[in-house]
Amino acid sequence: MPENTTLQLSPAPSRCSLEMFTHHYGDVYEHSPWVAEAAWRKGLTEAHDAPNALAELMGLMLQQASSEQQIQVIQAHPDLAGKAALAGELTQDSTSEQAGAGLDQCSPEELARFEYLNETYKQQFGFPFVIAVKGLDRHAILAAFEERLGNDAVTERQTAIEQIIRIARFRLIDRATTLM
Ligand code: GUN
């Protein structure tokens, strides 16, 4: 990006009522508008009109939440290359993230591999496998999938939360516009 440019969110978070803020930013965390609400209640300043600063605060809200709330947010994520994706039932963000990683172009063998890994992972941890897929192709995603199956449950919950915070940051950056 050229120098002297800043990314700004519109509408400006610092000028939003709670209702307006959750309307525009409530979906940054998949099916979990309470994360946006908690961030708004902390008090948004003009610094939070930049996507990275807002992402930081929202991420903190999720890190500070109870493990039950964290698990609910993880569980709100659809399977990668799963049945809901094939049926076109994902949110707009999930649809474009999964397609961006080429997951809509899996061969039947790759789909079977995802189905097997999705089920194995959910049986092992009790929640779906979540990874920020931006910049990854399906081979890298499958490799990460296999590797993370070797983690213990506490490590994996924390890894999933970190990945979800990354996904939210990418979503906010995608929605921002560049100011010259
Ligand atoms: N990473 C980015 N988008 C998604 C998604 O929709 N589901 C999962 N499991 N991980 C993601």
Side-chain angles (χ1 to χ4, degrees), residues 121 125 127 148 150-162:
Y121 184 97
F125 297 110
F127 49 76
R148 279 174 51 188
N151 282 342
D152 63 71
V154 173
T155 305
E156 200 44 36
R157 172 159 55 83
Q158 187 54 31
T159 304
I161 290 298
E162 284 162 12

Side-chain angles (χ1 to χ4, degrees), residues 5-135:
T5 63
T6 48
L7 285 175
Q8 289 281 299
L9 291 161
S10 177
S14 64
R15 291 196 217 130
C16 285
S17 64
L18 173 60
E19 192 186 21
M20 203 175 154
F21 185 69
T22 48
H23 176 74
H24 287 279
Y25 300 104
D27 61 346
V28 166
Y29 280 86
E30 196 81 7
H31 303 297
S32 309
W34 66 266
V35 181
E37 183 170 339
W40 188 91
R41 290 189 190 283
K42 275 275 161 188
L44 301 177
T45 67
E46 280 181 15
H48 299 110
D49 296 342
N52 276 310
L54 183 61
E56 194 76 22
L57 180 63
M58 289 174 96
L60 196 62
M61 299 301 96
L62 185 58
Q63 287 283 12
Q64 291 176 349
S66 67
S67 52
E68 288 77 16
Q69 282 175 304
Q70 291 185 344
I71 285 168
Q72 268 182 22
V73 175
I74 302 171
Q75 279 172 340
H77 286 75
D79 285 346
L80 289 175
K83 292 197 175 68
L86 292 175
E89 291 166 358
L90 304 189
T91 60
Q92 209 180 329
D93 283 317
S94 276
T95 303
S96 60
E97 285 155 9
Q98 298 212 21
L103 294 181
D104 56 343
Q105 288 160 31
C106 285
S107 66
E109 292 75 23
E110 286 165 338
L111 280 180
R113 190 74 193 137
F114 269 106
E115 188 176 351
Y116 171 77
L117 289 169
N118 280 325
E119 291 314 313
T120 306
Y121 184 97
K122 281 189 282 190
Q123 268 189 19
Q124 189 165 322
F125 297 110
F127 49 76
F129 175 76
V130 183
I131 185 165
V133 295
K134 203 179 184 84

Side-chain angles (χ1 to χ4, degrees), residues 130-151:
V130 183
I131 185 165
V133 295
K134 203 179 184 84
L136 302 179
D137 62 18
R138 52 194 190 276
H139 308 290
I141 294 167
L142 283 169
F145 217 145
E146 314 251 0
E147 189 183 325
R148 279 174 51 188
L149 274 168
N151 282 342

